[in-house]
Amino acid sequence: MAIIVFVCASKKAYSQTEAHVLDFNTKEPIVGAKVISSDGNKAITDFDGYFEFKNQSYPAEIVISMLEYVSDTIRVLSPQKLTVLLKEPITDLETVVVSAGRRKQSIEEVPISMEIIKAELIDNKGFANLEQVVDQSPGVYAMDGQVSIRGGGGYAYGAGSRVLLLWNGIPMVSPDVGDAKWNSIPMEQASQIEIIKGASSVLYGSGALNGTISLQERIPKTKGELRLKFQSGFYGKPNRPGLLWWDKTPTFHLLDAYYGKMNEKWGGTIAVNGFSNDGYKDGETEQRGRVSGTLYFKPWKGNRVKTGIGYNFQYEDMGAFILWQSDSLGYTPLGGSDPDVAGSTITNFRSIRLNVDPYLMFYDKNKNRHMLKTRYYLVTTGNLTSVYASSKAEMFYGDYQFQKKGETSNLTAGITSSINRIVSPVFQDHLSSNLAFYGQYEKKWNKFDLTAGLRFEYFKQDTLDYDSRFFLSDSFSIPFYPIIRTGVHYELTRSTHLRASIGQGIRFPSVAERFVATSVGGVIIFPNPEVKPEIGWAGELGIKQVFRIGDWKGSLDLAGFVNQYSNMMEFTFGLYKPDSIQLSTNPNDIGYINNWIGFQSQNAEQARITGLEVSFNSEGKIKEFEILSLLGYTYMNPISLNNNPTYQETFSDTSTQMLKYRFRHLAKADIQVKWRRYAIGFSTRYNSFMTNIDAVFENGLFGEVFLEGLKEYRKRYNKGALVFDMRAIFEITKSLKINFVVNNIFNEEYCSRPADIQPPRNFLLQLQYNL
């Protein structure tokens, strides 16, 4: 919808059509709106919201469109000047994404598979951290802090990740371990979560080998927005009596508060989060507090220049549960829950997470956008005496991006620099540097869109050789590794969209993968400074069919995919004895064989994953019913291409080449239906049986058992996992609602990874207030 104000001057005659396009509510100029005239003229509004052109004939019909606004057609009878006020839709069914091309675009135009998780689902499900949220998405699986997309990742004991987490377009990966700190992401600040499936290294660099999970913060409104959420819950009794370790029912509580407001020049957001969890596993507790937000400043009216600084600080006190006592005592840690007792596998952490993100954005006189984003990211791992006791890891990050937008094209180019500094008695002290140059060009011909991108990546850690070295011949190399990506989209009809894409990726080793040296529950992990980067590529063919019924929109998506990886880093079980050590069977000798057998990060795996995925998402109203859904099924065939017999002996099932810690089938569904002031929602998650794990966990070694009862447990629970949740919501007023959630309704016992039994049935009561 648009409101047109004609500006007429009796002493001036206009020789062309001129217009000023503004937001109806804020009266701010709308930059980048597309303008098409019936006589073929085209234009894009500049940074002050203006456009002009000479029409060949009158009357003329002019269409003005912009993502997240209602398009409008106006009829112009003669050359004149006018002001157009565009309104936001009352019911917005258009899904706009940012992470795919580092710009706003409709999800139907993106040439790669994406899933969107709305803020409403995050709130209504009562999620306490981001890992729980993304585990709800089709094709995504969360396993004890590590997330895999379409089977691209297994279990790596918390080190490294093939999925890159982004907050406001900047990586949020710990500089030491290379993982995502899922519980430190301020979801209370997020507008939506965008999940890209497939290699995305061209735009985002190392770590995006398997895809990205991107969150964008809420943009404050001129009238101000207040959001409050409080929830409290408890864990029910597990089905098996041996799992019940508590006398007092363990509870969990969460509080979120958010406020944002934008004035003419100044604006800001602030949010706080508090969470306390007694834990359903003995000793696995969590207490955290967080404050986050952004300050905005616009020196002049309009959007020509904008600057600001984001911030996020979290303090946490946690107990980490690693190994169970036995399959009968699956919620009890090996060695007991007191970390001060020798042999206990419970570890207590007191840590801080801090990021400070200054940025600057401006448009030049040619309407080109320049964006500078920076971040200081601090991740510590400590204990009761100091938050820096185990590790102090810092990232200094900067990204300059240039974007030129034409009528039918878009050019994005930039340079990224990142320096990681680690001070740690566990990993020792390390310094790494990462530099990249990237560019992506997008071109539109009527209904056909082409995307092509190129990145050159440089990475060096300490005094080691360049991890990014690329050989142009046997004798000549450069220190920059090239990565390419291309994708096409074709609008077969207004509701049918075809796509194809192929992209390369690379992931450099984290400090933990190279230098960690530790022992937990008798399992020894050895360092390996010689481990090399992973490389790979991902290809996809897909079709998206859009359905509309009144104010309801549904999207059916079908995709076939293939991912291929080389030099996959994996903690592999074996004998890792220095050449200078003589093996011995005497426990008192330094060469005692048990001292040199364990896990080490190795480039052990060559792999190919093929599969098929279908998903259906919807939102909107059909008559009096408001429906929100997120459903999907993924079939995966994750195959090892490593035929080394020694390596294959590490598989728990040597009769198959299926990759370790993977599934063949993964299904997710969430449906919510609202009628007037009442709503009810159902969720389900299914994964098939995890065929292959490390054989040593089932069989032990030299008579020593690492996970007691695991082999028998996996024989009993060999059908996969099927879990159901439900919720009921009542709107007391337009601003206030109450929500009752039951997770794991049927009290299913299941594991995310071996020996990691998930929560029993639990109950949650939630109160939300939005104004």
Side-chain angles (χ1 to χ4, degrees):
M1 178 180 182
I3 294 181
I4 302 97
V5 180
F6 293 90
V7 181
C8 302
S10 58
K11 296 183 179 181
K12 180 177 180 180
Y14 289 95
S15 60
Q16 59 189 6
T17 301
E18 302 178 21
H20 195 197
V21 183
L22 305 173
D23 183 288
F24 176 82
N25 294 313
T26 67
K27 302 303 185 290
E28 293 284 342
I30 297 177
V31 181
K34 294 181 180 180
V35 185
I36 301 176
S37 176
S38 58
D39 64 0
N41 271 306
K42 297 179 180 180
I44 294 177
T45 57
D46 62 20
F47 43 74
D48 291 320
Y50 285 99
F51 76 86
E52 61 181 36
F53 48 60
K54 293 183 179 180
N55 287 97
Q56 302 300 317
S57 61
Y58 292 94
E61 290 189 346
I62 298 176
V63 179
I64 304 172
S65 61
M66 181 66 181
L67 289 173
E68 299 179 301
Y69 290 90
V70 177
S71 300
D72 198 75
T73 303
I74 57 178
R75 185 176 176 85
V76 180
L77 300 178
S78 62
Q80 57 193 281
K81 184 176 182 180
L82 51 106
T83 298
V84 180
L85 304 178
L86 292 183
K87 281 188 173 183
E88 296 179 358
I90 297 175
T91 302
D92 189 4
L93 299 179
E94 301 305 316
T95 301
V96 178
V97 297
V98 178
S99 56
R102 300 188 80 160
R103 66 180 181 89
K104 288 185 177 181
Q105 58 188 137
S106 172
I107 192 172
E108 285 84 10
E109 298 175 357
V110 175
I112 193 170
S113 284
M114 289 190 72
E115 298 290 350
I116 307 300
I117 301 179
K118 302 286 188 177
E120 183 179 356
L121 178 62
I122 299 172
D123 289 336
N124 292 344
K125 283 279 290 181
F127 295 120
N129 63 61
L130 183 58
E131 182 184 2
Q132 297 172 347
V133 179
V134 298
D135 193 40
Q136 190 65 56
S137 173
V140 181
Y141 186 77
M143 186 188 311
D144 195 18
Q146 295 188 286
V147 168
S148 170
I149 297 177
R150 291 175 172 173
Y155 182 63
Y157 309 92
S161 175
R162 296 185 185 98
V163 176
L164 185 63
L165 174 63
L166 303 162
W167 174 260
N168 283 339
I170 303 178
M172 286 286 281
V173 176
S174 63
D176 50 1
V177 181
D179 67 339
K181 306 301 183 185
W182 302 103
N183 71 339
S184 68
I185 305 303
M187 296 189 299
E188 59 276 9
Q189 283 262 99
S191 58
Q192 67 181 21
I193 299 173
E194 303 175 9
I195 300 174
I196 296 179
K197 303 174 182 180
S200 304
S201 290
V202 164
L203 288 180
Y204 296 109
S206 176
L209 190 63
N210 189 212
T212 64
I213 296 174
S214 178
L215 293 87
Q216 297 292 327
E217 67 180 346
R218 297 178 186 274
I219 303 300
K221 302 176 181 178
T222 54
K223 65 178 181 179
E225 181 183 18
L226 175 66
R227 301 171 64 89
L228 300 171
K229 181 173 70 176
F230 174 75
Q231 61 190 44
S232 186
F234 66 91
Y235 296 103
K237 292 182 179 181
N239 275 330
R240 287 195 293 138
L243 299 180
L244 183 64
W245 57 268
W246 59 79
D247 295 321
K248 180 183 177 182
T249 301
T251 60
F252 49 92
H253 316 277
L254 180 142
L255 173 66
D256 282 343
Y258 166 88
Y259 181 73
K261 183 175 175 60
M262 193 72 203
N263 296 316
E264 184 174 326
K265 290 188 175 182
W266 292 92
T269 65
I270 185 169
V272 295
N273 167 270
F275 180 66
S276 175
N277 186 7
D278 295 336
Y280 65 94
K281 295 176 182 174
D282 193 6
E284 189 172 69
T285 61
E286 180 179 1
Q287 285 78 40
R288 70 170 186 255
R290 179 172 62 235
V291 59
S292 62
T294 302
L295 297 175
Y296 302 91
F297 175 58
K298 295 191 289 186
W300 300 282
K301 186 175 181 180
N303 294 307
R304 185 169 186 175
V305 178
K306 187 177 181 181
T307 186
I309 183 169
Y311 57 91
N312 181 28
F313 174 81
Q314 176 172 298
Y315 174 82
E316 62 184 33
D317 187 340
M318 299 178 60
F321 184 107
I322 302 174
L323 303 175
W324 67 18
Q325 183 72 36
S326 67
D327 60 327
S328 300
L329 302 173
Y331 286 161
T332 303
L334 180 65
S337 60
D338 186 350
D340 295 327
V341 174
S344 174
T345 55
I346 283 287
T347 305
N348 280 123
F349 298 103
R350 286 187 180 176
S351 310
I352 60 176
R353 315 279 186 247
L354 169 69
N355 62 276
V356 181
D357 306 347
Y359 76 92
L360 170 67
M361 183 274 292
F362 70 92
Y363 288 87
D364 62 27
K365 62 181 180 180
N366 296 317
K367 305 179 187 178
N368 301 316
R369 192 186 75 171
H370 302 261
M371 174 73 80
L372 176 63
K373 291 184 177 182
T374 64
R375 169 168 292 160
Y376 170 73
Y377 186 32
L378 170 67
V379 176
T380 78
T381 305
N383 54 29
L384 300 182
T385 59
S386 171
V387 294
Y388 303 105
S390 297
S391 178
K392 177 185 178 183
E394 299 171 288
M395 178 182 77
F396 304 87
Y397 181 94
D399 178 79
Y400 164 74
Q401 182 192 112
F402 168 84
Q403 195 166 95
K404 183 178 182 63
K405 186 176 182 180
E407 295 178 5
T408 60
S409 64
N410 193 84
L411 173 65
T412 301
I415 179 172
T416 298
S417 175
S418 178
I419 296 175
N420 292 346
R421 183 172 63 191
I422 292 91
V423 178
S424 169
V426 177
F427 309 122
Q428 305 305 314
D429 298 350
H430 300 280
L431 184 70
S432 64
S433 57
N434 189 189
L435 179 68
F437 304 91
Y438 63 89
Q440 179 167 288
Y441 183 71
E442 298 164 85
K443 177 65 176 177
K444 185 177 185 65
W445 293 276
N446 196 9
K447 296 183 177 183
F448 180 81
D449 300 280
L450 172 67
T451 301
L454 175 66
R455 185 184 188 96
F456 289 95
E457 191 94 7
Y458 166 94
F459 183 85
K460 185 173 177 58
Q461 194 172 73
D462 299 330
T463 59
L464 300 173
D465 189 21
Y466 303 108
D467 282 305
S468 52
R469 186 176 296 280
F470 182 75
F471 285 89
L472 297 173
S473 68
D474 292 340
S475 58
F476 182 73
S477 65
I478 58 175
F480 286 88
Y481 194 92
I483 305 165
I484 61 172
R485 174 200 178 197
T486 186
V488 295
H489 159 259
Y490 182 73
E491 185 181 331
L492 190 62
T493 69
R494 184 180 177 185
S495 300
T496 307
H497 300 262
L498 307 177
R499 68 177 184 276
S501 66
I502 187 169
Q504 294 177 310
I506 188 169
R507 184 175 78 85
F508 301 113
S510 67
V511 167
E513 287 169 304
R514 272 189 165 145
F515 302 106
V516 65
T518 188
S519 175
V520 179
V523 178
I524 303 173
I525 300 178
F526 297 95
N528 182 13
E530 303 303 319
V531 71
K532 302 300 182 184
E534 298 177 344
I535 57 175
W537 59 270
E540 179 186 275
L541 293 173
I543 180 171
K544 186 183 292 289
Q545 179 65 48
V546 179
F547 305 91
R548 294 178 185 268
I549 303 176
D551 291 330
W552 176 86
K553 175 185 175 182
S555 297
L556 177 65
D557 192 280
L558 178 65
F561 60 88
V562 56
N563 300 336
Q564 182 128 343
Y565 302 103
S566 298
N567 292 336
M568 286 183 78
M569 287 175 275
E570 179 181 289
F571 280 89
T572 305
F573 188 80
L575 174 66
Y576 301 107
K577 176 191 69 67
D579 293 336
S580 59
I581 298 294
Q582 292 292 325
L583 285 179
S584 169
T585 56
N586 185 349
N588 297 320
D589 289 347
I590 190 173
Y592 179 50
I593 189 169
N594 283 23
N595 293 336
W596 302 105
I597 291 179
F599 288 89
Q600 185 185 69
S601 181
Q602 295 276 330
N603 296 114
E605 193 64 89
Q606 315 294 317
R608 181 185 301 124
I609 304 169
T610 55
L612 186 70
E613 184 171 86
V614 58
S615 65
F616 181 78
N617 306 325
S618 74
E619 62 178 326
K621 295 183 70 174
I622 300 178
K623 296 185 177 180
E624 294 186 48
F625 296 94
E626 186 175 335
I627 302 171
L628 183 67
S629 68
L630 178 64
L631 306 93
Y633 164 74
T634 309
Y635 168 77
M636 297 161 286
N637 187 30
I639 296 300
S640 171
L641 303 179
N642 187 343
N643 296 317
N644 186 320
T646 302
Y647 173 70
Q648 290 178 351
E649 287 176 1
T650 67
F651 285 34
S652 60
D653 184 356
T654 57
S655 67
T656 174
Q657 288 289 96
M658 187 172 180
L659 291 173
K660 287 182 279 189
Y661 304 103
R662 305 313 203 275
F663 311 107
R664 288 209 187 277
H665 307 279
L666 191 63
K668 307 286 181 72
D670 187 274
I671 301 174
Q672 179 177 298
V673 180
K674 181 183 176 185
W675 178 71
R676 297 182 180 177
R677 295 162 65 185
Y678 305 91
I680 188 168
F682 296 93
S683 295
T684 185
R685 301 176 302 283
Y686 170 76
N687 61 263
S688 57
F689 181 62
M690 186 181 289
T691 303
N692 257 324
I693 66 171
D694 285 295
V696 69
F697 289 137
E698 283 194 349
N699 304 324
L701 184 71
F702 302 138
E704 184 176 353
V705 177
F706 298 113
L707 289 171
E708 185 177 333
L710 179 62
K711 189 168 187 176
E712 292 73 20
Y713 186 91
R714 282 170 48 81
K715 287 180 179 179
R716 291 198 307 270
Y717 297 91
N718 63 356
K719 302 299 183 185
L722 179 61
V723 183
F724 294 90
D725 310 324
M726 70 164 292
R727 59 189 181 272
I729 304 169
F730 174 65
E731 288 188 353
I732 302 172
T733 67
K734 288 186 177 180
S735 300
L736 182 66
K737 64 181 179 182
I738 191 169
N739 184 10
F740 178 65
V741 181
V742 182
N743 293 312
N744 195 0
I745 299 172
F746 301 111
N747 215 14
E748 177 80 5
E749 184 178 331
Y750 66 105
C751 291
S752 65
R753 63 160 173 84
D756 183 31
I757 303 177
Q758 294 301 288
R761 181 167 47 226
N762 55 91
F763 306 85
L764 182 151
L765 188 64
Q766 181 190 82
L767 196 66
Q768 294 183 39
Y769 179 76
N770 300 325
L771 182 64

